[in-house]
Amino acid sequence: SIQLTSSTGEKLEIKDLVISIDIYESLMSPYIKVELGISDAANFLETAPIVGQEKVDMVITEGGKKIKKTFYVASVANYLRANNQASMYTLKLITPEQMMNSLLLVSQSFSGTIDESIDKIVTDYLKSKIAKKDKSVGNYSVIVPNWNPFQAIDWLTRRAINTKKMPYAFYETWKEGFMF
């Protein structure tokens, strides 16, 4: 199921319009990226209308397990008018945490281990949680000076080490969520 809630509050099932789902995960990115390839013969783009920030609820079954995710429309890209009745385009989606990241700034002091500071930023600012978190070593006192949450998390992650002095990564996976 792929349900889009329009800016007017109307819920529309769009799975029949979707011809591709591309999910991008990377250890170098703190969030996933999702793109929906749309083949639109119903003039959906104009009639919905899609202006950005519409909510998209996806339920995908994989191996008997249902994965439910919520996204928001960030942009419409690669628009191509095939003929008078059909068009193709890509809906670029962002996670709720990416939405919060673009709206908030962190200006706060943190003390303790880096994993605790990152956990606090994810919980308090991004309104989310870390699915799997390894403990870092060393106590730190830092002041984050008006950075977006992901910018602060990136800065902290680059300074985190474990008992073997190995570095950490902060990233998101489709199935599990945030990992540190």
Side-chain angles (χ1 to χ4, degrees):
S1 170
I2 303 173
Q3 188 176 68
L4 183 136
T5 304
S6 72
S7 56
T8 61
E10 183 180 3
K11 294 181 187 270
L12 306 160
E13 178 60 54
I14 64 168
K15 80 173 181 183
D16 293 337
L17 302 176
V18 176
I19 57 173
S20 67
I21 300 173
D22 296 315
I23 302 165
Y24 301 96
E25 296 178 355
S26 172
L27 288 175
M28 309 315 269
S29 176
Y31 47 82
I32 60 175
K33 298 174 186 174
V34 177
E35 295 180 357
L36 300 179
I38 305 290
S39 178
D40 184 0
N43 204 23
F44 174 73
L45 189 61
E46 287 82 19
T47 58
I50 296 176
V51 295
Q53 299 182 2
E54 289 80 11
K55 184 178 173 184
V56 178
D57 292 305
M58 296 174 66
V59 180
I60 295 178
T61 304
E62 182 179 4
K65 181 182 175 187
K66 285 188 178 185
I67 301 170
K68 297 178 182 181
K69 296 284 184 181
T70 297
F71 298 96
Y72 291 92
V73 175
S75 65
V76 177
N78 307 323
Y79 183 84
L80 174 67
R81 187 91 174 150
N83 56 43
N84 287 340
Q85 287 120 8
S87 58
M88 296 180 77
Y89 49 90
T90 302
L91 290 181
K92 294 190 176 210
L93 307 179
I94 60 173
T95 63
E97 293 85 4
Q98 287 171 273
M99 180 78 83
M100 295 298 290
N101 182 66
S102 66
L103 300 173
L104 300 172
L105 294 174
V106 178
S107 182
Q108 180 178 340
S109 65
F110 296 93
S111 54
T113 61
I114 288 179
D115 66 278
E116 293 168 344
S117 298
I118 290 174
D119 191 43
K120 189 158 181 59
I121 293 170
V122 170
T123 303
D124 294 350
Y125 290 90
L126 299 178
K127 307 299 183 209
S128 191
K129 61 183 176 165
I130 300 175
K132 184 178 180 200
K133 177 178 70 165
D134 291 339
K135 285 287 202 190
S136 62
V137 296
N139 286 316
Y140 295 86
S141 292
V142 298
I143 298 173
V144 177
N146 268 345
W147 287 343
N148 293 92
F150 284 136
Q151 185 180 7
I153 289 168
D154 179 59
W155 188 87
L156 289 164
T157 300
R158 285 187 273 126
R159 285 151 181 81
I161 57 171
N162 65 13
T163 55
K164 297 178 184 175
K165 302 204 185 274
M166 299 295 294
Y168 281 84
F170 180 86
Y171 58 98
E172 184 179 17
T173 67
W174 169 259
K175 293 180 185 176
E176 302 294 328
F178 288 114
M179 305 287 195
F180 176 74

